[in-house]
């Protein structure tokens, strides 16, 4: 049986590659731009190349150390798909003191924020001329 393949990503090229796991060659290079590839895990589904917001969101997740490992028949779990979802979870992390990597994996943000911290209400504009 051949070794299982895992996903690798090149953020500058917005490209994803499935390659077999090989411990002898831990660092992979992008065949297009020769930049180092980032290992994202076996359960990764890349956004379309034209989806700028999806790739920006992916870059934020990877910067926080979040990957897409294959679990026991359940996949990687929840991952935000839009920058609005990332912003909401990062705001909750700031208010609650929770580490950003933990807050980004929450399927739902438990607003209102914990007591003693500001809420997430919008500021109202002052009317007048």
């Amino acid at each position: 049986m051949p070794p299982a393949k895992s996903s690798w990503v090149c953020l500058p090229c917005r490209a994803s590659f499935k390659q077999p796991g090989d411990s002898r060659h831990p660092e992979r290079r992008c065949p297009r731009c020769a930049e180092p590839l980032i290992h994202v895990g076996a359960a990764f589904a890349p956004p379309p190349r034209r989806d700028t917001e999806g790739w920006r969101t992916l870059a934020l997740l990877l910067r926080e150390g979040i990957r897409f490992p294959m679990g026991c028949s359940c996949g990687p779990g929840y991952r935000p798909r839009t920058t609005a979802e990332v912003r909401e979870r990062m705001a909750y992390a700031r208010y609650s003191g929770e580490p950003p990597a933990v807050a980004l994996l929450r399927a739902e943000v438990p607003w209102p924020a914990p007591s003693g911290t500001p809420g997430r209400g919008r500021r109202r504009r002052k009317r007048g001329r």
Side-chain angles (χ1 to χ4, degrees):
M1 183 173 207
K5 291 187 176 183
S6 190
S7 294
W8 298 76
V9 168
C10 178
L11 293 174
C13 293
R14 294 185 189 170
S16 172
F17 304 96
K18 286 264 190 184
Q19 297 182 354
D22 186 5
S23 60
R24 292 174 286 163
H25 306 297
E27 185 176 299
R28 309 281 169 94
R29 294 271 175 191
C30 176
R32 294 179 182 169
C33 68
E35 290 289 322
L37 293 174
I38 301 169
H39 183 250
V40 291
F44 175 69
R49 190 168 285 143
R50 292 184 303 265
D51 184 5
T52 307
E53 182 183 11
W55 282 95
R56 188 176 305 130
T57 301
L58 176 63
L60 292 169
L61 292 174
L62 295 176
R63 189 176 317 132
E64 289 297 329
I66 296 172
R67 300 295 187 260
F68 301 81
M70 180 58 81
C72 297
S73 73
C74 61
Y78 175 79
R79 301 292 188 269
R81 290 191 164 273
T82 64
T83 52
E85 291 175 345
V86 170
R87 259 186 262 119
E88 183 180 28
R89 281 151 183 79
M90 294 299 278
Y92 177 75
R94 278 192 301 275
Y95 290 137
S96 69
E98 188 172 66
V102 174
L104 285 169
L105 296 178
R106 288 183 168 276
E108 293 183 18
V109 179
W111 289 105
S115 61
T117 59
R120 69 172 196 173
R122 290 176 38 182
R123 290 185 181 183
R124 294 191 178 186
R125 291 175 138 178
K126 290 184 179 179
R127 292 185 140 207
R129 294 181 186 194

